[in-house]
Amino acid sequence: RVVVVVVAMAAAEERDIDELELLTKLNSTNPADRIEARRQRIAARLRAQREEELGVSSKKKDAPAPELTETQKEILASKRRVGAVVARGLDAVASVRVEDDGRERSRRVAEDARRSELRGKLVDEAERSAALERDVVDRWATLGASSNAPLELHDAIESQKARCDAVVASKDALIAELEEELKTKDDDYVKSLKQNEADVTELLRRMAEQFRTLQTRCAAELERA
């Protein structure tokens, strides 16, 4: 008889909401599934609160509520207590995934912004370098004809050299920035691995803690029965 009571307590949770389906949705990569799962969980809590206030299970308004025996009332109360523990456990476990999703979204937004910034710098550098290179080529073409004196020719060559140095320096600066970006990406990857490891450890800890809590509650309800 005690076993029947415990089985009935566990099976009754499926009457309001499929916990396995809810957990699957909470851990889904689809934001719509996670939102729907949270709505279902909130609706289940509201139903439980209303039932607790009324002292009976939810029934259709036009159907008369039968008188519950003391055993039925105790089973219903036990189901609510166990259900509350299960709901808190799901919240504690799912929050790890929610926090991780939030960090991942923030990282992707920042990464997209940085990628767009670097792409713009590459385009600007290409256009600026092309303009400088065309200017250098044009000046080489007219250098011999316009500069007959050795000193004037020397000054013109030095000016050309300065322009060439400016082109190279601009490219070197962009290369250094890209190399620094690669180093930053490597560091971020290492941090991401450490964060994932920490998330898994925390998830396992919470799962173990919630299992012990649920086990204790079920044992208490069994003892009560």
Side-chain angles (χ1 to χ4, degrees):
R1 181 179 180 81
V2 172
V3 174
V4 172
V5 171
V6 175
V7 173
M9 289 166 50
E13 294 304 317
E14 298 180 357
R15 182 191 61 187
D16 294 330
I17 185 170
D18 187 341
E19 295 294 351
L20 180 59
E21 180 181 357
L22 176 62
L23 183 59
T24 301
K25 288 184 177 180
L26 285 171
N27 289 278
S28 173
T29 57
N30 188 347
D33 288 342
R34 295 197 299 273
I35 293 174
E36 178 62 24
R38 295 189 188 101
R39 289 176 178 172
Q40 292 179 3
R41 191 171 56 198
I42 292 172
R45 289 178 183 173
L46 292 176
R47 286 197 304 271
Q49 290 176 358
R50 287 196 298 268
E51 290 176 0
E52 187 173 358
E53 292 173 357
L54 295 174
V56 295
S57 300
S58 298
K59 302 290 184 179
K60 293 183 179 179
K61 293 184 178 179
D62 56 351
E67 184 67 24
L68 298 178
T69 65
E70 291 300 322
T71 300
Q72 290 174 328
K73 291 179 180 179
E74 182 60 30
I75 291 175
L76 182 60
S78 295
K79 288 187 293 185
R80 290 174 187 153
R81 289 190 290 267
V82 173
V85 173
V86 172
R88 288 195 297 270
L90 288 174
D91 285 343
V93 173
S95 63
V96 176
R97 178 62 180 273
V98 172
E99 292 171 2
D100 183 69
D101 288 346
R103 285 193 300 268
E104 180 62 17
R105 283 194 297 270
S106 299
R107 185 194 67 80
R108 290 184 179 180
V109 169
E111 183 175 327
D112 290 343
R114 180 57 176 165
R115 186 182 295 112
S116 297
E117 180 184 356
L118 290 175
R119 188 180 295 112
K121 288 185 177 182
L122 286 170
V123 173
D124 292 342
E125 173 59 28
E127 294 176 350
R128 185 169 56 253
S129 296
L132 287 173
E133 290 171 3
R134 285 194 299 270
D135 182 59
V136 169
V137 171
D138 293 342
R139 287 178 179 273
W140 280 124
T142 61
L143 187 61
S146 61
S147 301
N148 295 322
L151 290 178
E152 292 179 359
L153 182 60
H154 176 270
D155 292 341
I157 292 175
E158 289 297 323
S159 178
Q160 285 289 81
K161 182 177 179 299
R163 289 184 176 86
C164 293
D165 290 341
V167 173
V168 174
S170 178
K171 291 183 180 295
D172 287 343
L174 183 58
I175 290 172
E177 184 175 359
L178 293 175
E179 289 176 344
E180 182 64 25
E181 183 68 17
L182 288 175
K183 183 179 180 300
T184 300
K185 289 296 181 183
D186 289 341
D187 294 340
D188 289 344
Y189 179 70
V190 173
K191 292 178 182 178
S192 177
L193 291 179
K194 291 181 179 180
Q195 183 62 55
N196 289 340
E197 181 180 0
D199 287 343
V200 171
T201 301
E202 177 64 15
L203 181 61
L204 293 175
R205 186 193 69 79
R206 293 189 185 187
M207 291 174 64
E209 180 181 359
Q210 295 305 318
F211 173 77
R212 289 192 297 270
T213 302
L214 182 59
Q215 189 177 42
T216 301
R217 170 52 61 187
C218 289
E221 296 300 329
L222 181 62
E223 181 68 23
R224 183 191 297 269

